[in-house]
Amino acid sequence: MKNDFFDRPAAYLQNDSKKHSDSMKYKLAQAMKICMQKTSLEKITVSQVVQQCGTTRQTFYRNFKDKYDLVNWYFDRILLESFEHMGEGNTIPEGLINKFRYIEQEKIFFKAAFKNNDQNNLRDHDFELILAFYTERIESRTHAAVPKHLRLLLEMYCYASIYMTVQWVLGQIPSTPEEMAGLLVDAMPPQLEQTFRELNLL
């Protein structure tokens, strides 16, 4: 029986032009990742990125407004990919383990990106995505909006989980993906945990 706990993100319908555009965006993102291995995000310039990519500033600005726009675009892609990995688990702990294992593969990018406290803060960006993700899972099962009190608990839980994930990525929490998943499950507010269990999401 198909597990619908974490439905995969909807596939994008792409024409040839968009595929070509995304191909260049990925090339620029890979160049940014290489630059991040040598320099902090705040100090990386567009000129460095395009030189590493072997393209021009004009091409860069046809695809992105600035370096932060590039980072957010790529962050969206790897977050969606991490959610797909979560969808491969039959339970929340299994899904979280899959997600943390994937984050480990992209750790250089996550670490460099999460150190940035400049514009387009990625922690806020991550919060919006993960809150929408959990909200959709609850509402698709209940066929109703998340009650106000439960939504506040969910928001607090999402903020806390992002904070702990960032600390893990930055090396402040020496834990395995399995241990991190366990910690996040244990940290759920009782009412939120009960809701997940009642909806067979935990």
Side-chain angles (χ1 to χ4, degrees):
M1 186 175 185
K2 181 179 180 294
N3 169 42
D4 62 347
F5 167 49
F6 285 120
D7 296 319
R8 294 192 174 194
Y12 293 99
L13 297 177
Q14 299 175 317
N15 57 29
D16 289 342
S17 176
K18 187 173 189 305
K19 287 180 180 178
H20 176 75
S21 174
D22 280 356
S23 176
M24 176 52 68
K25 287 180 177 180
Y26 275 110
K27 289 179 181 178
L28 289 165
Q30 292 303 314
M32 172 63 84
K33 287 172 67 175
I34 292 173
C35 291
M36 282 178 164
Q37 295 177 34
K38 310 169 186 176
T39 311
S40 65
L41 178 58
E42 295 90 339
K43 295 180 180 179
I44 294 174
T45 66
V46 170
S47 294
Q48 289 174 312
V49 175
V50 298
Q51 182 178 2
Q52 180 65 49
C53 186
T55 188
T56 64
R57 289 173 62 87
Q58 289 82 357
T59 297
F60 180 93
Y61 286 113
R62 277 199 298 270
N63 288 277
F64 299 107
K65 294 182 296 183
D66 52 35
K67 63 182 180 182
Y68 299 104
D69 188 32
L70 184 162
V71 169
N72 278 349
W73 178 85
Y74 188 63
F75 199 60
D76 272 344
R77 296 309 180 275
I78 60 177
L79 279 179
L80 287 172
E81 180 69 19
S82 72
F83 291 151
E84 288 196 18
H85 285 287
M86 288 179 75
E88 295 170 0
N90 293 318
T91 64
I92 287 179
E94 289 177 3
L96 288 171
I97 289 170
N98 289 341
K99 181 177 182 178
F100 283 120
R101 285 176 176 169
Y102 175 74
I103 289 176
E104 277 193 320
Q105 297 174 21
E106 291 281 354
K107 206 161 188 177
I108 291 176
F109 174 82
F110 273 95
K111 189 172 183 178
F114 275 136
K115 282 183 178 177
N116 171 52
N117 287 312
D118 212 326
Q119 64 187 41
N120 297 333
N121 189 285
L122 290 178
R123 303 179 196 206
D124 293 339
H125 190 58
D126 192 7
F127 169 76
E128 292 171 3
L129 291 174
I130 199 168
L131 176 63
F133 183 82
Y134 279 118
T135 298
E136 192 279 330
R137 293 316 180 267
I138 294 173
E139 292 181 347
S140 67
R141 290 295 183 91
T142 62
H143 304 291
V146 177
K148 184 177 180 180
H149 179 67
L150 186 63
R151 182 175 176 83
L152 288 174
L153 292 177
L154 182 59
E155 289 180 2
M156 287 188 287
Y157 174 70
C158 288
Y159 267 123
S161 66
I162 291 169
Y163 173 80
M164 297 305 290
T165 298
V166 171
Q167 295 305 303
W168 179 67
V169 168
L170 296 180
Q172 301 302 311
I173 303 177
S175 300
T176 65
E178 292 78 7
E179 290 169 340
M180 280 300 297
L183 286 171
L184 289 188
V185 171
D186 289 344
M188 285 183 184
Q191 187 176 343
L192 183 60
E193 179 184 356
Q194 179 182 351
T195 297
F196 281 150
R197 291 192 184 282
E198 290 175 352
L199 298 176
N200 296 317
L201 298 178
L202 187 64

